[in-house]
């Protein structure tokens, strides 16, 4: 194949190929299986040795679309209840395509005034969406893991200051281990962030009052007292991943203020409880935090990868993440600087565009309505489970996750974990709906999460029907 520069006239045709495939794929999401086991063999068409001679744009795009639309997990569809994965609203999808089309480097104002301005607007809108006071700032990042990393990076810089040290310049050498306290809901992504920051993933001292992980406030206060004025970081968890439960953010904020600690809120999906008066009480006190981490690719329903960190003192972002001097790059205080100096990534796509598009298209009220519809669907799912004699709900449903297991009367407890694991494996293999297993309070369970804008009562009912069908089948199998 000739130099790709000579193939440039075919760009519009290649985009037309994608557009032609997009319409049928998106229209089919409402009914298609999440995973089609029969299509798995098509994945072999992706491999092979690196081509010596290219096939050309048209053939390459045709092949990618044919294999991708057949084998991709329909995680943006309404029947994907695994993990906590949102879909992609039409406006957000178009915004993401626009981001790819314009291909902006959102490192700084000087690299893209457009991307910088959109990100500035979006961060302000996110602050307003969650009811945070004026003065908060933040950074758009690739995930809640990076949002936790960014937030805890600022906390580390603050903690170093309290010890009279400059951790940005000199690192952690010679300092005591940073005290990090949390209940048992602390997520693996927060531990990973601490691991990457050099504190170690086991830096978190867990204070839990039961095997589910509910926070022990008395235990946390006891640890704070024992520190005798030394700085500490508290992690409040807004939306636990197994049942959607919340730490009492307000009570943890009270402890943070009383003992001079940094309060970080991990609100990967639970932060969106703030959008509805029905659930806003769950995040009462977030305005008293020092930092908040969340995902937009969960309940905001924008494409992967999209997270954000919100910081009460945004000046700490430039201090913690500003880069060493380079003659051709703007510094943190340079008028040409920007958000690449406020977080872990320097080379950054314009991930603000799909957020801007969806917030502009549907506004505060549209996103509130989506959250409230999902609250209703979660309650409907809970009722369906309660009505099924062979299903057992394991927890209350404060938000959008319903934790339950297969547990017919008369089946010994020692057999239930094996059976529920078999049901989880069967769900993934079957592909009509998608949901995996977890362990909640020592028991293997399912924990479907409802955060996709397309999901309906019919999708929830299908999920229950499939679970019951597969439960009966796996029990009957030897």
């Amino acid at each position: 194949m000739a130099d790709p520069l000579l193939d440039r006239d075919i760009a519009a045709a290649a985009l037309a190929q994608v557009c032609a495939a997009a319409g049928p794929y998106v229209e089919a999401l409402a009914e298609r299986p999440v995973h089609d086991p029969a299509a798995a063999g098509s994945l072999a068409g992706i491999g092979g040795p690196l081509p010596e001679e290219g096939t050309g744009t048209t053939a390459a795009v045709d092949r990618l679309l044919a294999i991708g639309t057949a084998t991709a997990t329909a995680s943006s569809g309404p029947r994907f209840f695994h993990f906590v994965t949102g879909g992609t609203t039409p406006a957000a999808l178009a915004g993401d395509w626009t981001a790819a089309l314009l291909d902006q480097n959102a490192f700084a104002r000087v690299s893209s005034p457009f991307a910088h301005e959109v990100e500035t607007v979006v961060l302000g809108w996110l602050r307003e969406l969650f009811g945070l006071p004026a003065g908060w700032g933040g950074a758009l990042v690739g995930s809640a893991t990076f949002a936790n990393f960014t937030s805890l990076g600022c906390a580390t810089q603050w903690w170093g200051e309290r010890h009279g040290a400059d951790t940005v310049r000199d690192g952690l050498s010679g300092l005591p281990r940073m005290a990090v306290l949390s209940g048992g809901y602390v997520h693996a992504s927060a531990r990973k962030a601490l691991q990457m920051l050099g504190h170690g993933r086991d830096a978190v001292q867990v204070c839990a009052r039961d095997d589910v992980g509910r926070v022990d406030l008395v235990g946390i206060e006891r640890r704070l007292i024992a520190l005798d004025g030394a700085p500490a970081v508290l992690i409040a968890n807004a939306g636990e991943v197994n049942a959607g439960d919340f730490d009492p953010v307000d009570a943890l904020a009270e402890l943070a203020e009383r003992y001079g600690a940094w309060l970080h809120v991990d609100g990967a999906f639970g932060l969106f409880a703030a959008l509805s008066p029905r659930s806003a009480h769950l995040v009462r006190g977030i305005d008293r935090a020092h930092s908040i981490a969340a995902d937009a690719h969960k309940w905001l329903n924008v494409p992967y990868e999209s997270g954000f960190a919100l910081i009460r003192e945004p000046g700490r972002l430039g201090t913690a993440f500003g880069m060493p001097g380079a003659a051709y790059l703007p510094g943190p205080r340079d008028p040409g600087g920007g958000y690449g100096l406020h977080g872990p990534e320097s080379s950054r796509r314009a991930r603000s565009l799909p957020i801007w598009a969806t917030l502009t298209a549907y506004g505060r009220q549209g996103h509130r309505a989506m959250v409230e519809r999902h609250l209703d669907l979660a309650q409907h799912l809970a009722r369906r489970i309660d009505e099924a004699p062979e299903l057992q709900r394991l927890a209350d449903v404060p938000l959008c996750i319903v934790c339950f297991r297969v547990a017919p009367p008369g089946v010994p407890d020692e057999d239930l974990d094996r059976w529920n694991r078999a049901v989880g494996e069967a769900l993934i293999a079957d592909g009509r709906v998608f949901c995996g297993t977890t362990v909640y309070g020592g028991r293997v369970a399912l924990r479907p999460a409802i955060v996709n804008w397309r999901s309906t009562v019919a999708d929830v009912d299908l999920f229950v029907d499939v679970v019951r069908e597969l439960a009966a089948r796996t029990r009957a199998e030897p």
Side-chain angles (χ1 to χ4, degrees), residues 114-176:
F114 168 69
H116 181 89
E117 183 61 25
V118 176
E119 187 159 350
T120 300
V121 170
V122 159
L123 286 167
W125 284 355
L126 289 172
R127 177 189 63 77
E128 292 181 45
L129 188 67
F130 301 115
L132 297 172
W136 280 64
L140 300 183
V141 292
S143 64
T145 300
F146 265 134
N148 278 319
F149 180 87
T150 303
S151 299
L152 293 170
C154 290
T156 298
Q157 187 269 331
W158 164 88
W159 171 82
E161 276 185 357
R162 295 301 185 274
H163 282 286
D166 186 343
T167 59
V168 175
R169 183 188 63 205
D170 302 323
L172 305 177
S173 179
L175 293 170

Side-chain angles (χ1 to χ4, degrees), residues 158-447:
W158 164 88
W159 171 82
E161 276 185 357
R162 295 301 185 274
H163 282 286
D166 186 343
T167 59
V168 175
R169 183 188 63 205
D170 302 323
L172 305 177
S173 179
L175 293 170
R177 194 170 198 181
M178 187 170 81
V180 185
L181 308 175
S182 179
Y185 292 161
V186 62
H187 192 264
S189 65
R191 292 185 182 274
K192 183 175 182 178
L194 290 165
Q195 169 188 321
M196 292 189 293
L197 287 163
H199 300 293
R201 64 188 178 198
D202 292 335
V204 183
Q205 301 174 50
V206 172
C207 300
R209 55 188 170 87
D210 57 27
D211 59 359
V212 168
R214 295 180 180 90
V215 65
D216 178 1
L217 294 172
V218 173
I220 285 186
E221 184 166 22
R222 191 178 297 124
R223 301 276 183 95
L224 290 169
I225 292 170
L227 288 170
D228 195 25
V233 174
L234 307 185
I235 298 179
N237 302 283
E240 178 266 344
V241 294
N242 283 334
D245 197 13
F246 285 69
D247 285 337
V249 179
D250 230 1
L252 287 165
E254 189 69 33
L255 288 176
E257 290 168 3
R258 188 182 310 159
Y259 293 97
W262 179 287
L263 176 61
H264 170 60
V265 176
D266 183 352
F269 65 94
L271 184 61
F272 288 82
L275 272 60
S276 169
R278 291 165 48 185
S279 52
H281 64 282
L282 296 169
V283 290
R284 186 179 298 117
I286 57 169
D287 57 317
R288 301 168 69 186
H290 297 84
S291 58
I292 301 171
D295 269 325
H297 58 230
K298 288 187 169 65
W299 221 339
L300 196 62
N301 278 243
V302 304
Y304 278 82
E305 307 152 339
S306 186
F308 54 92
L310 300 173
I311 307 295
R312 187 202 294 183
E313 301 176 72
R316 292 194 179 277
L317 288 162
T319 302
F321 293 101
M323 294 168 63
Y328 74 102
L329 294 176
R333 294 171 183 80
D334 190 302
Y339 294 105
L341 302 168
H342 291 180
E345 300 161 289
S346 299
S347 297
R348 312 163 72 244
R349 78 192 301 266
R351 58 171 59 98
S352 58
L353 271 58
I355 300 177
W356 183 93
T358 201
L359 289 176
T360 299
Y362 315 116
R364 185 196 307 273
Q365 292 304 318
H367 287 88
R368 169 184 165 179
M370 178 175 64
V371 165
E372 291 183 341
R373 181 160 52 82
H374 292 152
L375 297 178
D376 291 339
L377 288 174
Q379 293 301 319
H380 175 76
L381 175 55
R383 288 191 296 273
R384 286 292 316 271
I385 290 164
D386 292 344
E387 293 164 359
E390 78 276 32
L391 303 181
Q392 177 190 33
R393 186 157 54 86
L394 299 181
D396 293 335
V397 183
L399 204 63
C400 59
I401 297 177
V402 184
C403 188
F404 73 100
R405 66 175 179 165
V406 177
V411 178
D413 284 346
E414 58 268 22
D415 293 337
L416 289 177
D417 281 356
R418 177 207 59 79
W419 191 0
N420 279 275
R421 289 196 190 281
V423 171
E425 291 169 2
L427 278 169
I428 300 299
D430 179 86
R432 284 174 288 172
V433 297
F434 229 57
C435 180
T437 57
T438 189
V439 177
Y440 183 78
R443 294 174 288 186
V444 175
L446 300 169
R447 33 82 67 202

